[in-house]
Amino acid sequence: MTTLLVIAKEPLPGRVKTRLTPPFSPAEAAELAEASLADTLDAVAATPAGRRVLVLDGSPGPWLPPGFDVVPQCAGGLDLRLADAFARCAGPALLIGMDTPQVTPELLAVDFAGYDACFGPAEDGGFWALGLAEPDPALLRGVPMSTPWTGAVQRRRLVAAGLRVRELPRLRDVDTAADAVAVAARAPHGRFAARLARCTAHPAGPGTGR
C-alpha cells in the first residue's frame, strides 16, 4: 500500500507562518500552524495507507495522533528535503505539506493504477501534493522551491521522465491572512477554522504576547 508522507515544521512562534504576521502575532501564527498541521494529520490518519510518516523539522507535540513514524528532515534546501523523504520509501508514496488543512481522506486516497505519478497543483504556483509509484529522489533535486513556477517546473520534470501523471484538484495553501480566511471557509468544521475564528475574535494587542 501507499506510504503517506507529511513534511512539516514544529509549530513554534517565529518559525512558522511568518507571512501571517501581521495581522496576527507570532504566537497566533504558530497556533494557526498547529491547527493546520493537526487537521492535516487527522486526514492522513483517516486515509488507508501502508505507512504514515511525519518528516519533521523539530520535535513532535500533543498535536501528533498515533500511528505515525516520525523522522527528521535532512539538511539543505526544500528540494533536498523532499527528495530525502521519498528516498526513505520503497514503494508508492504520496507527500503533502502542512499548509492545506482542508485536505480530506478522499483526496489522499490516490490510486496509481494507470499512472506513475500524482500531482496536486497549488493556487500560488507551487504544489500541495506529489505522489510517485516508484519514488525517485532525482525527480525533485534542483527544482526551485517557493516560486510562482515551482509547480510547473516540477510537473515538467515528471513528464520529461516519461511518467504518466494524474492531476489532483487544485488547492490553496495557507500563506497569508487572505489565504487563511479562504481555506477556513472551505473547511469550516476543522480545528484550523475554529482557531482562526478565535484569533480574529480576540485580536492581539501591543504587549499581549498573543
Side-chain angles (χ1 to χ4, degrees):
M1 292 183 72
T2 301
T3 295
L4 295 179
L5 301 160
V6 179
I7 187 161
K9 284 184 178 180
E10 182 183 359
L12 297 174
R15 294 196 66 239
V16 291
K17 294 294 158 215
T18 55
R19 290 174 62 190
L20 292 177
T21 307
F24 301 107
S25 70
E28 287 173 330
E31 290 171 2
L32 289 167
E34 179 176 327
S36 179
L37 178 55
D39 281 347
T40 301
L41 294 173
D42 282 350
V44 171
T47 305
R51 186 183 178 208
R52 299 174 185 86
V53 182
L54 176 62
V55 187
L56 185 63
D57 177 2
S59 301
W63 38 262
L64 179 65
F68 283 79
D69 297 329
V70 179
V71 299
Q73 292 184 26
C74 72
L78 181 56
D79 62 317
L80 298 179
R81 287 179 276 141
L82 296 179
D84 182 69
F86 277 108
R88 299 170 182 267
C89 302
L94 177 73
L95 181 145
I96 65 172
M98 60 184 286
D99 302 333
T100 50
Q102 73 274 43
V103 74
T104 64
E106 290 74 23
L107 285 173
L108 298 178
V110 298
D111 183 357
F112 287 100
Y115 298 94
D116 305 301
C118 294
F119 182 77
E123 289 188 10
D124 63 0
F127 58 92
W128 67 269
L130 178 63
L132 298 171
E134 297 182 6
D136 179 359
L139 291 169
L140 293 106
R141 296 189 187 113
V143 172
M145 295 289 163
S146 303
T147 75
W149 52 87
T150 293
V153 173
Q154 183 62 74
R155 197 182 191 289
R156 283 200 298 269
R157 278 279 190 98
L158 304 176
V159 174
L163 304 185
R164 297 163 296 173
V165 181
R166 175 189 172 191
E167 198 89 359
L168 300 177
R170 185 180 299 270
L171 295 185
R172 185 168 182 166
D173 287 334
V174 175
D175 290 318
T176 66
D179 294 332
V181 172
V183 168
R186 293 294 301 270
H189 304 298
R191 293 175 179 164
F192 181 79
R195 174 57 64 182
L196 180 65
R198 287 195 290 273
C199 288
T200 52
H202 303 287
T208 64
R210 281 188 50 77

